[in-house]
Amino acid sequence: RKEVEQDPGPFNVPEGATVAFNCTYSNSASQSFFWYRQDCRKEPKLLMSVYSSGNEDGRFTAQLNRASQYISLLIRDSKLSDSATYLCVVNSRTFGNEKLTFGTGTRLTIIP
Amino acid sequence: AAGVIQSPRHLIKEKRETATLKCYPIPRHDTVYWYQQGPGQDPQFLISFYEKMQSDKGSIPDRFSAQQFSDYHSELNMSSLELGDSALYFCASSLRAASYEQYFGPGTRLTVT
């Protein structure tokens, strides 16, 4: 079982719709959580960090449920430019060192 | 704002050759990470450095080595290249005292023929 699991999709969503992704992680000692987006053949770009209290950035809302070990991302009023792969990323810290573990990503296509 | 710089952006090598990839982190960032992303795969962590010392090691083959220099730039050295080493290699940097958010460079696309 992968340490970070996501539904790979693809999600094909009409422009203007709301779409939600979930992600689960297995390491209960994980400390930091992020959503990155990656366009084809480009680098992952940090979309937002995910905090226990939940956080919102414009059309994007992220939630963390530590008890159930899942993270969610909600995109409202989706735009064509939101088409990308969304990566759920978990930071596990051990002995002061830390590394990111990536989910396999969820492919989103916004349809005009 | 300054971003992570990687060079070269594209590299073509033959089997059994050696390659060196370079990474220049965001100014004042103290930690550098290397990732390998194969076609259709998620990025796999290779190795990281904090303040010029190796801090964590992932799935890095013994044929690969890396270091971070006094100016904080890092190099990934890859020897005895194999066809399976063809991938995108990303470098990321972060500031440990901050939120551990990692910022990625544009990557080096390595093709081994």
Side-chain angles (χ1 to χ4, degrees), chain A residues 16-95:
Chain A
T18 296
V19 60
F21 307 134
N22 288 327
C23 160
T24 58
Y25 61 95
S26 59
N27 185 350
S28 58
S30 299
Q31 307 210 0
S32 306
F33 309 89
F34 310 93
W35 283 101
Y36 281 75
R37 69 169 279 167
Q38 187 172 27
D39 295 282
C40 189
R41 299 165 79 89
K42 298 282 186 71
E43 74 273 23
K45 290 190 174 170
L46 179 65
L47 185 63
M48 58 200 304
S49 302
V50 188
Y51 305 118
S52 296
S53 55
N55 47 304
E56 187 173 315
D57 183 3
R59 297 181 295 108
F60 298 84
T61 301
Q63 298 271 351
L64 167 65
N65 184 319
R66 285 189 183 269
S68 303
Q69 294 183 203
Y70 84 76
I71 306 149
S72 66
L73 177 68
L74 184 77
I75 306 175
R76 289 181 299 277
D77 187 24
S78 52
K79 314 287 185 195
L80 295 177
S81 58
D82 294 333
S83 297
T85 296
Y86 289 81
L87 298 163
C88 174
V89 183
V90 172
N91 183 329
S92 302
R93 207 171 303 159
T94 308
F95 304 112

Side-chain angles (χ1 to χ4, degrees), chain B residues 25-76:
Chain B
I26 292 172
R28 290 182 295 281
H29 277 193
D30 50 22
T31 309
V32 166
Y33 314 80
W34 285 98
Y35 293 87
Q36 178 192 59
Q37 187 173 27
Q41 314 230 323
D42 51 286
Q44 295 293 313
F45 170 72
L46 293 178
I47 194 167
S48 63
F49 293 86
Y50 169 64
E51 285 291 344
K52 293 154 280 184
M53 300 285 290
Q54 181 183 308
S55 64
D56 203 358
K57 208 169 181 181
S59 50
I60 184 169
D62 292 339
R63 300 177 289 108
F64 294 6
S65 65
Q67 56 184 323
Q68 188 178 29
F69 295 86
S70 58
D71 64 352
Y72 289 90
H73 95 271
S74 178
E75 294 184 4
L76 177 66

Side-chain angles (χ1 to χ4, degrees), chain B residues 1-110:
Chain B
V4 177
I5 297 171
Q6 290 188 246
S7 68
R9 295 292 308 277
H10 301 273
L11 190 57
I12 299 174
K13 290 284 185 178
E14 295 186 356
K15 281 195 317 184
R16 292 180 289 278
E17 284 192 317
T18 297
T20 297
L21 310 186
K22 296 186 178 182
C23 169
Y24 297 85
I26 292 172
R28 290 182 295 281
H29 277 193
D30 50 22
T31 309
V32 166
Y33 314 80
W34 285 98
Y35 293 87
Q36 178 192 59
Q37 187 173 27
Q41 314 230 323
D42 51 286
Q44 295 293 313
F45 170 72
L46 293 178
I47 194 167
S48 63
F49 293 86
Y50 169 64
E51 285 291 344
K52 293 154 280 184
M53 300 285 290
Q54 181 183 308
S55 64
D56 203 358
K57 208 169 181 181
S59 50
I60 184 169
D62 292 339
R63 300 177 289 108
F64 294 6
S65 65
Q67 56 184 323
Q68 188 178 29
F69 295 86
S70 58
D71 64 352
Y72 289 90
H73 95 271
S74 178
E75 294 184 4
L76 177 66
N77 298 294
M78 310 159 72
S79 62
S80 303
L81 287 169
E82 301 174 357
L83 295 178
D85 296 329
S86 295
L88 259 175
Y89 290 83
F90 291 111
C91 172
S93 73
S94 72
L95 181 62
R96 179 165 284 202
S99 56
Y100 288 88
E101 293 174 347
Q102 295 186 20
Y103 295 87
F104 284 74
T108 295
R109 182 169 295 280
L110 172 66

